[in-house]
Amino acid sequence: MSIFSRIAEGEIPSYKCAEDERFYAFLDINPVAEGHTLVIPRREVDYIFDLDDEELSALHVFAARVARAVGRAVPCRKVGMAVLGLEVPHAHIHLIPLQGEGDMDFRKEKLHLSDERMRDIAARIAEEFAK
Ligand code: AMP
């Protein structure tokens, strides 16, 4: 089972932001910006573009709902979206609150946020998602 499947199953803790029967969203533990969120399908598939059209569409519709919640919870100009998948072999979408294009630079040093801060951000996103 992938680490992200174990997170979605609750076996490994995460800063949960949103979920439904098919998808799960949680904070990236090495954020490039405050509110950096990952959205995954519960079904374990490595490469996002191996998802069939229906699942790929549904993942994006769910990610859009999460992105709107992130945008309301975290001050930013817009929420950006990226797909890398070079590290974890379980399809996922990165949602990143943007102030400028540099916020999408995955090579820069990651933020070090306290557990309390991460909990607070996730709780705010979850609250907005539930609205
Ligand atoms: P990539 O597969 O290249 O899209 O990168 C995987 C992303 O998952 C990285 O941004 C990691 O910081 C993030 N990540 C890895 N393990 C965890 C975890 N246990 N909880 C939250 N995020 C994680």
Side-chain angles (χ1 to χ4, degrees):
M1 209 194 268
S2 79
I3 184 169
F4 284 178
S5 289
R6 296 178 66 197
I7 284 174
E9 290 295 314
E11 282 177 27
I12 293 177
S14 68
Y15 297 101
K16 181 168 86 176
C17 300
E19 68 176 329
D20 71 5
E21 323 78 58
R22 300 176 72 191
F23 307 108
Y24 189 90
F26 56 107
L27 294 185
D28 193 303
I29 38 159
N30 298 119
V32 296
E34 281 204 13
H36 179 173
T37 302
L38 302 176
V39 184
I40 65 168
R42 291 183 185 277
R43 200 169 76 83
E44 195 172 313
V45 173
D46 174 358
Y47 187 40
I48 192 168
F49 298 120
D50 285 335
L51 296 174
D52 67 28
D53 289 355
E54 192 281 330
E55 192 170 12
L56 186 62
S57 304
L59 172 64
H60 281 77
V61 170
F62 183 81
R65 287 181 59 206
V66 177
R68 289 183 203 107
V70 170
R72 291 194 297 266
V74 180
C76 61
R77 288 172 59 196
K78 285 188 175 172
V79 175
M81 186 172 94
V83 171
L84 282 81
L86 298 173
E87 191 187 312
V88 177
H90 184 136
H92 53 280
I93 290 172
H94 294 257
L95 298 175
I96 300 171
L98 300 175
Q99 296 295 350
E101 62 187 17
D103 293 326
M104 285 292 254
D105 185 354
F106 283 80
R107 294 166 303 185
K108 72 181 184 187
E109 195 183 340
K110 306 299 185 289
L111 300 181
H112 301 285
L113 304 176
S114 68
D115 176 61
E116 189 185 2
R117 185 83 185 133
M118 293 287 274
R119 280 175 194 272
D120 176 59
I121 296 166
R124 278 193 279 129
I125 295 170
E127 191 180 324
E128 290 297 335
F129 184 81
K131 282 183 182 167

